[in-house]
Amino acid sequence: MKEEKASSRTEIGTLGEFGLIERITSQHQTIHHSTIAGVGDDAAVLDNGDRYQLISTDLLLEGIHFDLMYHPLKHLGYKAVVVNLSDICAMNGKPTHITVSIGLSNRFSIEAVEEIYEGIYAACRQYDVDLIGGDTTSSRQGLVISVTAIGEVEKEEVVYRSGAKDGDLVCITGDLGAAYLGLQLLEREKQLYLDNPEIQPDLEEQSYVVGRQLKPEARTDIIDLFRKSNFRPTAMIDISDGLASEIFHICQASNCGVLLEEAMVPLRDESQLLALKFQLDPITTALSGGEDYELLFTAPITDLELLKRMPGIYIIGEIKNAAFGKKLLTTGGNHHDLKAQGWAHFEK
Ligand code: ADP
Ligand code: MG
């Protein structure tokens, strides 16, 4: 049996990240009544009493998710927490606890680890969450940080990726593309520095995009706003991989199509200008960039007036039936098929 397995080898790249997750999880049957939702959304949903408990985990690897040449350790600790809290928000919940596990090579000093934890504790204070445990191990190479976030939500308030309906509005909570552009800028400065260490990077003017990359925030404020406004989205996801990839997840889970309008997708002026400098189409940085950690959600058309009154909510399109497909109406008036080109960890 062993030999048989060894003789058939399939490259991970043939499935891609999401195909691989589907492959390794689709056969698993959950057995506990408390498991309301397992794999397939931003967080798992457990029924442990009055409220649902939400659990989400992410793994950050040096050289894949961050580069310590430009990622300050304190910011890295903060970001590692935030990206997980964002997944709790995506279920319409509020984070309460985290665990943090780290793998350290001997390149790291105690002071360096303390700096990472300064950032982790800053995030704990900012978002009112308790650090309740974790694991510490050595690593042959590079830094590994894994955070698990736990949160809660009233049972009737939980929002999945799967609730979008034909005719729903597609909304977003802030501007896109900046985090990706910040990364491009930091990569360029790194190259310039490596070519000539005398050159000091000048990122002052681009502090917005750099900040979006190095110090993202989780939109717990939006979850509070929804509660206060008596509003519940029909479907929701956070934008970690880019708008196109995330709307694909909603469409797949909800069995629907979508029409997004390029002109409605919010991009800051500085992002547009910087995109053009990098010879990128600005809309591409929003569709395929990622790491903006805004929330993408859908809402019934009957909530239009309510949504218009909510500060910082942008309506960017409409849910269609599955047969319509997934399309972008460009500023030039053409319909383009959307491509779910998110962050490709495993290149096809
Ligand atoms: P997100 O981008 O919101 O963090 P992911 O795309 O990482 O979500 O994961 C999608 C879903 O697949 C989640 O429900 C996650 O828990 C699950 N998942 C990812 N990797 C694995 C794995 N190796 N084993 C089991 N479940 C996984
Ligand atoms: Mg997510």
Side-chain angles (χ1 to χ4, degrees):
M1 195 63 189
K2 250 188 175 167
E3 281 94 49
E4 220 174 83
K5 278 216 161 157
S7 64
S8 69
R9 182 196 149 87
T10 319
E11 298 300 328
I12 290 173
T14 57
L15 282 177
E17 179 185 349
F18 300 119
L20 176 63
I21 295 172
E22 164 80 14
R23 170 91 162 240
I24 58 181
T25 60
S26 59
Q27 300 303 314
H28 179 65
Q29 304 271 345
T30 58
I31 51 172
H32 292 280
H33 289 302
S34 55
T35 310
I36 305 297
V39 174
D41 220 299
D42 292 275
V45 181
L46 305 184
D47 185 354
N48 280 335
D50 290 350
R51 295 170 166 197
Y52 283 150
Q53 194 167 51
L54 305 167
I55 302 184
S56 181
T57 197
D58 263 313
L59 178 62
L60 300 184
L61 302 181
E62 184 178 354
I64 303 283
H65 300 96
F66 59 88
D67 185 330
L68 290 177
M69 265 194 78
Y70 50 70
H71 226 130
L73 290 169
K74 186 174 168 184
H75 285 69
L76 184 62
Y78 191 89
K79 182 170 177 175
V81 176
V82 161
V83 301
N84 280 278
L85 305 187
S86 178
D87 279 323
I88 301 295
C89 295
M91 308 301 291
N92 206 25
K94 292 294 292 280
T96 53
H97 303 83
I98 55 165
T99 65
V100 176
S101 300
I102 48 172
L104 300 160
S105 69
N106 54 14
R107 224 173 81 226
F108 293 88
S109 63
I110 292 174
E111 288 75 17
V113 180
E114 281 177 336
E115 260 185 71
I116 297 172
Y117 271 78
E118 264 184 52
I120 289 172
Y121 288 125
C124 287
R125 286 191 299 276
Q126 176 70 25
Y127 292 98
D128 280 333
V129 300
D130 293 337
L131 171 70
I132 54 161
D135 196 17
T136 305
T137 172
S138 58
S139 138
R140 280 278 181 84
Q141 231 184 8
L143 176 63
V144 180
I145 308 182
S146 175
V147 176
T148 297
I150 299 166
E152 58 181 23
V153 61
E154 299 289 340
K155 287 184 180 175
E156 60 282 3
E157 298 288 340
V158 68
V159 175
Y160 298 102
R161 295 176 178 178
S162 56
K165 298 268 178 321
D166 194 357
D168 277 359
L169 301 164
V170 179
C171 309
I172 203 151
T173 57
D175 69 287
L176 301 182
Y180 175 76
L181 287 160
L183 180 65
Q184 298 311 302
L185 198 63
L186 290 163
E187 282 288 338
R188 190 189 67 181
E189 293 300 322
K190 174 184 156 184
Q191 279 315 319
L192 290 175
Y193 175 81
L194 289 175
D195 293 345
N196 180 2
E198 303 283 295
I199 296 180
Q200 283 303 310
D202 179 17
L203 298 169
E204 282 277 304
E205 274 182 30
Q206 305 292 357
S207 60
Y208 181 71
V209 295
V210 172
R212 290 284 273 178
Q213 168 58 223
L214 296 183
K215 193 171 176 287
E217 301 290 354
R219 301 306 308 268
T220 48
D221 58 323
I222 295 286
I223 305 307
D224 292 335
L225 176 68
F226 288 170
R227 285 292 182 291
K228 236 177 45 205
S229 315
N230 245 327
F231 167 75
R232 181 178 163 274
T234 46
M236 187 150 59
I237 189 167
D238 70 323
I239 302 195
S240 52
D241 289 350
L243 174 59
S245 171
E246 312 303 357
I247 196 69
F248 262 62
H249 285 311
I250 286 189
C251 287
Q252 192 179 18
S254 302
N255 190 27
C256 63
V258 72
L259 177 63
L260 296 182
E261 281 188 52
E262 179 179 0
M264 312 290 268
V265 176
L267 272 109
R268 296 259 294 222
D269 286 348
E270 53 255 73
S271 302
Q272 306 229 20
L273 287 171
L274 192 58
L276 296 173
K277 252 192 193 167
F278 281 121
Q279 297 184 318
L280 293 166
D281 189 350
I283 190 67
T284 309
T285 66
L287 290 171
S288 306
E291 292 200 287
D292 291 304
Y293 295 103
E294 295 297 339
L295 297 170
L296 171 67
F297 64 93
T298 59
I301 188 90
T302 46
D303 281 333
L304 178 62
E305 290 309 314
L306 181 64
L307 288 164
K308 279 189 186 164
R309 284 198 302 274
M310 284 188 207
I313 302 291
Y314 303 83
I315 299 170
I316 61 167
E318 191 188 327
I319 293 294
K320 300 283 189 187
N321 63 33
F324 178 87
K326 299 174 240 346
K327 297 196 166 67
L328 177 75
L329 174 62
T330 66
T331 44
N334 297 315
H335 282 89
H336 277 293
D337 281 334
L338 273 172
K339 289 187 196 71
Q341 171 75 73
W343 277 111
H345 287 255
F346 303 108
E347 294 289 342
K348 276 209 172 179

